[in-house]
Amino acid sequence: MKHLIKSSALAFAIVATLGLAPSQARADGFNVNGSQASVLITGSSVVMVVSGPIFLSAAGVRGAADMSKESKERREEKRRISAGPLPDLEVKSVGTAEDGGRRVVLEDPTNPENHATLQWPKREDDPAAGFSVGSKIAFQASPQGAGWMLRNPEGAALAFVPTIEAVDESRTRTL
């Protein structure tokens, strides 16, 4: 942006100088008639008309490249926490929420303070159909570390739970 401001100021100074050239030429004793002044001003205007859009396009491309580079650097600086191992959790309840969505409550049998609630909005299929009270649910971390695949005791996939960072990267809080 600073580069664009500096270059714009320079372009303005050049245009102002070219506009004053005929009056300066007369003051210094040069003989410039109206036709010659018109050619001088028209010539400089053509240069500005042709080079102005090219200059602005180049400045815009450079600015966009700088912004893209800064965005990439911020993403790389951001510490990513990947999905790690979690203990198997027991299904404590499977129910329907007030809004018609489905809810599954999970709890660690060895540590009751370690619990989770899975919720889905109302929809035609039943995402909680594979969960049954008392069954153990295994949390299998995804290879890229974006979340966990929940599996029943037979190994069937029940749901995918993303990490908070994966949700943030997708620019949404609702899945």
Side-chain angles (χ1 to χ4, degrees):
M1 186 67 179
K2 290 179 186 177
H3 177 70
L4 180 61
I5 292 170
K6 287 179 185 176
S7 298
S8 297
L10 178 62
F12 178 75
I14 291 172
V15 170
T17 303
L18 290 174
L20 294 176
S23 63
Q24 287 294 329
R26 284 191 187 137
D28 293 339
F30 292 108
N31 243 348
V32 177
N33 63 24
S35 176
Q36 292 170 332
S38 175
V39 169
L40 180 63
I41 291 172
T42 303
S44 64
S45 297
V46 169
V47 170
M48 291 309 296
V49 168
V50 172
S51 64
I54 294 170
F55 164 74
L56 292 175
S57 297
V61 169
R62 181 177 176 174
D66 290 345
M67 288 176 16
S68 176
K69 181 180 174 186
E70 290 170 7
S71 175
K72 181 179 178 184
E73 289 171 355
R74 277 195 306 267
R75 277 182 281 154
E76 289 173 354
E77 289 174 5
K78 188 177 181 182
R79 187 173 153 228
R80 182 181 170 113
I81 300 172
S82 62
L86 290 176
D88 292 352
L89 299 181
E90 182 179 336
V91 178
K92 286 298 183 184
S93 69
V94 178
T96 303
E98 292 176 12
D99 64 356
R102 298 288 283 161
R103 179 180 304 148
V104 176
V105 178
L106 305 170
E107 185 178 286
D108 186 349
T110 60
N111 182 5
E113 291 181 9
N114 187 13
H115 58 277
T117 302
L118 304 173
Q119 295 183 10
W120 294 271
K122 183 178 180 178
R123 54 192 222 192
E124 290 183 27
D125 65 333
D126 184 8
F131 294 89
S132 59
V133 176
S135 65
K136 301 261 184 183
I137 304 300
F139 284 72
Q140 180 184 10
S142 67
Q144 294 82 17
W148 299 268
M149 182 59 69
L150 279 57
R151 299 189 180 276
N152 67 11
E154 293 78 36
L158 301 174
F160 179 77
V161 178
T163 63
I164 292 172
E165 290 78 14
V167 172
D168 286 344
E169 287 178 5
S170 69
R171 304 289 189 246
T172 181
R173 289 298 223 184
T174 306
L175 298 178

